[in-house]
Amino acid sequence: MKKLLLPLVVLFTLYGFTQENLSYQKPSAEILDLVDAPLAPSVLITDDGEYMIFRYRDAYKSIAELSETELRLAGLRINPKLNIGSRTNYYNNISLKKAGSSDEIQAKGLPQNPRLANFSWSPNQKKIAFTHTTNMGVEVWVLHLESAEVNKLTDATVNANMRDVINWFKDGESILVKMLPTDRKPLINTAASVPSGPTISSNDGKKAQNRTYQDLLKNPNDEFNFEQLARSELYKVNLDGSKTKWMDADMYSSINFSPDGNYVMVVNVEKPFSYLVPYRRFPSTTKMYQSDGSLVTTILHVPLIEDLPQGFMAVRTGMRNISWRNDKPATLVYAEALDGGDPENEVEFRDEVFEMDAPFTSKGKSLLKLTNRYYYIQWGNETMAVAYDYWWNNRSIKGYVFDPSDSTKPAKVVEDRNYQDVYSDPGVFVTKRSDYGTTVLSLDNASAYLIGDGYTKEGQFPFVDKINLATLAKDRMYTSKLEGKKENIIDYDVDEDKLLVRIESAVEYPNYYYKHLVKRKGAMQLTNFENPFKSIQDVHKEVITYKRDDGLELSATLYLPVGYDKEKKEKAPMILWAYPREYKDKNSASQNTQNPNEFTYPYWGSPIYWVTKGYAVLDDAAFPIIGEGDEEPNDTFRSQLVANGKAAIDAVDDMGYIDRNRVAVGGHSYGAFMVANLLSHSDLFAAGIARSGAYNRTLTPFGFQSEERNYWEAPEVYYTMSPFMHADKMKTPLLLIHGQADNNSGTYPMQSERYFNALKGLGATVRLVMLPKESHGYRAKESILHLLWEQDQWLEKYVKNKSESKKGIQLQPTIGKDR
């Protein structure tokens, strides 16, 4: 009996514990080398092309950064000590490059240990302002492009908790800055405070069907803290650092100067607050001021928005989408619903668009009525502009050329299509910088210009079209047909005949170039970024197309393992990574938007790392879910998921590259939801990886993803689609990963925790990894390295070595098999 005791103790030690005290781990060297590759800078280019600004940053934060104090209030995440968003992405260096020069100029005078954000161009683009976050708070700094020198404008007293922190005055010599109010009260420590009573919510019978938002206010203490953190005083700060108060403390959410700089539209958040919706739907008042801070008029009062009609196309009544008309000095533009804001009401026109001139006290002048919901207007001049509307339910978008000076003239439809139909996309209009510093249509008499992505059944061929807005006749000026490369058209300067493009290939990092369409001169290279991922530059990459059992054509990008011999065709394990998308027609669902010449970039959430470990990877596999006519996509969600998965595996298996018995499936967010459903309702996969998903749809009862119906209208859909309800069917090893601070609507960390408990109770092979401090997307390097280690270990055990793992009991530590 004693001889049996030791083996039993060993087995109990190996398999009996369900909790692991594990420190952060690192993946293998092959993966780690790719993670540690340097990050190229982001690029800003002045409209005249004279300067390029390079902003450098680290690819990852540290877990220490994510562990800084954080308050989650009304949809915001705030560092209350520093007064800036706690998840702000920071840059740590700036350099410049002048047009025609090959030399990169380091910005002089940057602060030590820079944490730079909130970049804002001056009106003439000779300067750029930004914030720097110190250990004490937030400062404003300015970079002067001509001298490449940086200087500090304010102390660390800036309030960057809400948007529009920096707003330039028209002269470019001063900035309107949000500063901490002098009368701010100490925040309440909600964890230590003693409640004065219960928290009570009530409803007077109105329907208030809202998505499952996170980070909402929960009690009076949260309300108090939100108000203190949202309040700012507005100061006019000159470039020499001197300042004068412009406006007393209030909760300023939006600040917007008129094109001529003479007026400032300011939106204030007001009470009562809500425990159901984020601050963007709190009551607000829109006021108009002159640039000296004197009040002109109150434009609009908006009440608390908790009870919109049902549907994605529901809007509130009254003035909304207020903005400046870009081609005029000071004219407001706004929309009003003609259907009561309710998409269920049948009307000829959904929205009407108005304009209102200074001093903004007269009734608005009607510009046009729209068939669907107002989207936006691309302004041109006094007599020419292009308006867009859209309707989610049938995925339609329409563009209209109209005369803003004469509403009696009928608008001409310049675009009318399904916006998911990328093959018919006419492109976006080319704009230029107006005399006011705003963007307007780049017009040549009645002609405008369009830049398009150029997706076709035969491949991607970006283009530039010239379109006569009077006749709608088009002339193709340029089509990109670079062999073995992908060209993205960024902008076209019509006056200077300069086409700004970004060119890349599967092994060449994207770089910027100027081309000339009329003069047809050779391309001028502007940047020279090198490929930091040399270890995978020779990996075979191709876009494959294949058909689902119902004949629908699908596509995916296939990568073969490093060093793979295509002649021998050894059977490799494979990772399939995907994200399901809903469509209302088969034509759009079958279109291919993948380009084999796109640079291969292994970001933190990518499966590409595993080509270094002997795996084939099928990335971005098309997983369309289609519901045509009166049928909704989710009515047949599960069966279409399985059909998509089978088609993908069949396609690569038919090519002879993989062992179809060793295929893993992975996904993030709604992709994780996909993974759990696939493993529950098919036997196609050896294992799954599901990150930050939602698995019980009854916990999101008023809609999710593209589902408009609530639970009580379609209970069978919610039940059928929920992996949690079918946990007893799970027979495949599943790795669940979730950020403990997930802020995404519906994907509460509880979703993974409850699903894990259900699977555990039913005897499934499952592992749950909760990443401390991480949100819906993961940021800390420690978290990401551990994530990659977890995924690597899971794939090695249950996919690559699947056959071996079934041969008896292995006396070695498992990575979380729960029994």
Side-chain angles (χ1 to χ4, degrees):
M1 190 69 182
K2 290 183 178 179
K3 292 182 179 179
L4 291 176
L5 184 60
L6 181 59
L8 287 174
V9 170
V10 171
L11 285 173
F12 181 78
T13 303
L14 294 173
Y15 292 106
F17 294 137
T18 61
Q19 300 297 123
E20 295 185 18
N21 294 320
L22 192 66
S23 61
Y24 287 111
Q25 301 294 302
K26 293 182 179 180
S28 60
E30 300 95 328
I31 294 176
L32 194 58
D33 286 346
L34 294 174
V35 174
D36 286 336
L39 194 67
S42 69
V43 180
L44 298 175
I45 304 177
T46 55
D47 289 342
D48 61 9
E50 186 177 353
Y51 286 96
M52 303 184 76
I53 311 297
F54 300 137
R55 297 181 298 173
Y56 292 86
R57 67 178 179 87
D58 293 329
Y60 315 99
K61 288 181 176 288
S62 68
I63 197 66
E65 286 182 275
L66 293 190
S67 298
E68 293 176 350
T69 304
E70 179 178 77
L71 292 181
R72 304 171 191 174
L73 302 169
L76 294 172
R77 294 193 165 187
I78 295 170
N79 184 320
K81 176 186 176 183
L82 303 180
N83 291 292
I84 192 168
S86 53
R87 306 278 164 160
T88 300
N89 292 322
Y90 292 113
Y91 295 92
N92 56 26
N93 194 17
I94 306 174
S95 65
L96 303 82
K97 195 174 184 181
K98 296 190 71 172
S101 172
S102 59
D103 297 328
E104 193 172 327
I105 305 169
Q106 172 62 45
K108 300 184 287 288
L110 285 171
Q112 289 187 337
N113 303 316
R115 300 174 78 187
L116 315 178
N118 297 300
F119 286 78
S120 176
W121 286 110
S122 66
N124 61 8
Q125 293 195 324
K126 300 296 183 185
K127 298 175 280 287
I128 189 167
F130 51 87
T131 61
H132 164 54
T133 303
T134 73
N135 292 330
M136 300 300 294
V138 179
E139 306 165 339
V140 172
W141 292 61
V142 171
L143 167 65
H144 302 260
L145 271 60
E146 187 173 348
S147 64
E149 292 181 346
V150 169
N151 66 285
K152 186 174 80 167
L153 292 191
T154 74
D155 294 328
T157 54
V158 173
N159 188 349
N161 290 331
M162 299 176 78
R163 62 184 180 180
D164 290 343
V165 182
I166 295 172
N167 295 271
W168 285 89
F169 283 84
K170 190 64 178 179
D171 61 5
E173 297 300 320
S174 52
I175 303 172
L176 190 60
V177 180
K178 290 183 177 180
M179 307 290 281
L180 298 177
T182 54
D183 62 348
R184 175 187 277 189
K185 299 175 183 177
L187 301 182
I188 296 173
N189 183 344
T190 56
S193 63
V194 177
S196 59
T199 298
I200 299 172
S201 299
S202 63
N203 187 50
D204 60 2
K206 291 183 179 180
K207 290 184 178 180
Q209 301 185 14
N210 294 296
R211 306 283 273 195
T212 47
Y213 299 111
Q214 301 205 52
D215 299 343
L216 299 179
L217 302 180
K218 297 180 179 65
N219 51 55
N221 289 343
D222 280 354
E223 293 189 56
F224 176 86
N225 287 343
F226 171 77
E227 182 177 7
Q228 297 307 310
L229 292 167
R231 292 175 74 249
S232 300
E233 293 174 345
L234 300 182
Y235 276 83
K236 182 178 182 180
V237 181
N238 300 316
L239 293 187
D240 62 4
S242 61
K243 64 180 183 180
T244 55
K245 183 185 284 189
W246 194 83
M247 194 70 61
D248 289 334
D250 209 332
M251 292 182 285
Y252 302 108
S253 65
S254 174
I255 300 170
N256 201 340
F257 276 83
S258 62
D260 66 2
N262 291 329
Y263 297 93
V264 190
M265 182 168 57
V266 178
V267 180
N268 296 4
V269 174
E270 296 182 339
K271 296 179 178 179
F273 299 150
S274 170
Y275 296 176
L276 292 179
V277 294
Y279 83 93
R280 296 184 302 276
R281 291 172 62 175
F282 289 179
S284 66
T285 296
T286 301
K287 296 180 180 180
M288 189 66 67
Y289 298 90
Q290 291 184 337
S291 60
D292 63 3
S294 57
L295 178 66
V296 176
T297 187
T298 297
I299 302 292
L300 176 66
H301 290 290
V302 178
L304 177 65
I305 308 171
E306 284 186 339
D307 54 355
L308 287 175
Q310 187 175 357
F312 294 156
M313 289 287 92
V315 296
R316 62 175 176 81
T317 56
M319 297 173 65
R320 70 174 207 281
N321 292 59
I322 305 175
S323 64
W324 292 107
R325 181 169 165 175
N326 283 359
D327 64 328
K328 282 194 167 186
T331 297
L332 289 179
V333 181
Y334 60 92
E336 290 194 17
L338 300 176
D339 59 0
D342 190 344
E344 291 298 314
N345 292 333
E346 296 294 333
V347 294
E348 182 180 4
F349 297 104
R350 293 284 179 184
D351 276 353
E352 187 170 8
V353 182
F354 299 86
E355 70 175 7
M356 182 191 298
D357 293 324
F360 319 108
T361 54
S362 60
K363 185 177 179 180
K365 168 192 167 186
S366 177
L367 293 178
L368 76 164
K369 293 181 179 180
L370 299 170
T371 305
N372 297 313
R373 263 317 156 240
Y374 172 64
Y375 193 16
Y376 70 98
I377 293 177
Q378 191 66 69
W379 297 100
N381 56 33
E382 191 69 34
T383 61
M384 195 166 288
V386 182
Y388 291 89
D389 67 17
Y390 74 107
W391 198 248
W392 179 87
N393 302 72
N394 60 4
R395 313 302 197 266
S396 71
I397 185 169
K398 294 180 75 172
Y400 311 80
V401 178
F402 73 103
D403 184 347
S405 68
D406 188 351
S407 60
T408 65
K409 289 183 179 179
K412 291 176 293 186
V413 177
V414 69
E415 178 180 353
D416 186 1
R417 65 186 184 91
N418 182 322
Y419 59 72
Q420 291 182 317
D421 179 4
V422 295
Y423 290 176
S424 68
D425 189 347
V428 297
F429 281 97
V430 174
T431 61
K432 66 178 181 180
R433 190 175 182 80
S434 73
D435 293 339
Y436 302 115
T438 58
T439 57
V440 296
L441 289 172
S442 186
L443 295 172
D444 179 7
N445 295 319
S447 292
Y449 301 83
L450 290 160
I451 292 173
D453 290 328
Y455 289 110
T456 71
K457 189 174 179 62
E458 291 73 34
Q460 185 181 6
F461 308 98
F463 61 83
V464 178
D465 278 350
K466 186 175 184 179
I467 178 172
N468 186 307
L469 295 182
T471 66
L472 303 185
K474 289 183 181 179
D475 175 38
R476 177 103 351 144
M477 297 180 63
Y478 176 76
T479 303
S480 175
K481 293 183 178 179
L482 296 180
E483 190 68 30
K485 297 180 185 293
K486 178 183 178 182
E487 182 174 39
N488 294 301
I489 301 174
I490 309 301
D491 195 16
Y492 180 47
D493 186 330
V494 177
D495 296 332
E496 298 293 328
D497 185 36
K498 289 196 303 187
L499 189 71
L500 177 63
V501 300
R502 189 173 63 239
I503 299 175
E504 62 193 276
S505 76
V507 298
E508 294 175 357
Y509 201 91
N511 277 288
Y512 291 85
Y513 298 78
Y514 272 136
K515 289 186 172 183
H516 299 272
L517 301 190
V518 178
K519 300 175 184 177
R520 297 291 181 183
K521 293 164 53 177
M524 180 175 73
Q525 187 166 351
L526 302 175
T527 62
N528 192 27
F529 303 133
E530 294 186 357
N531 181 359
F533 308 112
K534 300 291 187 183
S535 63
I536 60 172
Q537 67 177 359
D538 296 325
V539 164
H540 174 79
K541 175 183 182 180
E542 64 175 307
V543 173
I544 63 171
T545 58
Y546 48 95
K547 290 187 177 180
R548 209 162 73 173
D549 285 344
D550 60 0
L552 185 73
E553 190 165 280
L554 307 176
S555 61
T557 301
L558 174 65
Y559 302 83
L560 296 180
V562 171
Y564 186 84
D565 189 332
K566 291 179 65 179
E567 299 300 322
K568 292 183 179 179
K569 288 191 175 180
E570 294 182 354
K571 301 292 186 179
M574 185 174 82
I575 306 169
L576 186 159
W577 205 269
Y579 188 95
R581 302 182 189 279
E582 298 86 349
Y583 295 86
K584 288 299 291 180
D585 71 295
K586 291 180 180 178
N587 174 59
S588 300
S590 66
Q591 294 178 357
N592 178 15
T593 59
Q594 301 185 58
N595 191 323
N597 300 314
E598 188 171 82
F599 181 70
T600 303
Y601 182 86
Y603 69 98
W604 68 265
S606 169
I608 305 302
Y609 295 102
W610 278 272
V611 297
T612 67
K613 303 297 294 287
Y615 295 83
V617 173
L618 195 66
D619 195 19
D620 200 17
F623 264 67
I625 310 297
I626 307 165
E628 295 189 303
D630 293 333
E631 183 183 73
E632 291 298 324
N634 287 340
D635 293 344
T636 52
F637 180 83
R638 273 179 17 193
S639 60
Q640 292 194 63
L641 271 190
V642 175
N644 292 330
K646 180 178 180 300
I649 295 174
D650 286 347
V652 188
D653 186 32
D654 289 345
M655 299 171 78
Y657 296 140
I658 63 166
D659 174 358
R660 68 176 302 134
N661 294 314
R662 294 188 295 154
V663 177
V665 62
H668 190 92
S669 192
Y670 208 56
F673 177 69
M674 170 202 74
V675 168
N677 269 298
L678 282 169
L679 299 191
S680 298
H681 303 294
S682 77
D683 58 0
L684 294 169
F685 301 97
I689 299 171
R691 300 193 312 237
S692 298
Y695 308 103
N696 184 347
R697 298 278 50 137
T698 68
L699 298 178
T700 56
F702 292 110
F704 57 90
Q705 202 71 3
S706 293
E707 180 57 65
E708 282 190 305
R709 296 167 294 185
N710 67 41
Y711 168 76
W712 296 271
E713 292 173 320
E716 70 287 348
V717 171
Y718 279 70
Y719 178 86
T720 301
M721 291 181 66
S722 295
F724 181 87
M725 305 304 182
H726 307 279
D728 59 322
K729 299 183 177 72
M730 179 62 72
K731 308 301 180 188
T732 307
L734 175 61
L735 174 62
L736 293 168
I737 303 170
H738 215 120
Q740 286 185 340
D742 195 328
N743 67 332
N744 185 55
S745 175
T747 55
Y748 297 105
M750 178 181 69
Q751 288 273 8
S752 287
E753 293 168 343
R754 293 302 184 192
Y755 188 40
F756 170 78
N757 285 337
L759 293 172
K760 171 184 175 182
L762 293 165
T765 299
V766 61
R767 178 179 177 88
L768 173 63
V769 179
M770 302 297 291
L771 297 174
K773 310 296 182 179
E774 293 292 352
S775 187
H776 194 60
Y778 314 147
R779 298 299 314 280
K781 189 170 185 179
E782 294 91 338
S783 300
I784 290 165
L785 293 179
H786 188 86
L787 164 78
L788 297 172
W789 178 82
E790 291 278 2
Q791 293 178 160
D792 192 40
Q793 297 292 307
W794 196 257
L795 293 168
E796 289 291 298
K797 181 176 180 65
Y798 292 111
V799 181
K800 180 184 282 187
N801 299 306
K802 176 184 177 182
S803 57
E804 288 79 359
S805 67
K806 290 184 176 180
K807 295 178 181 178
I809 297 175
Q810 301 174 37
L811 295 180
Q812 57 186 17
T814 69
I815 57 165
K817 183 174 180 181
D818 191 83
R819 295 192 169 188

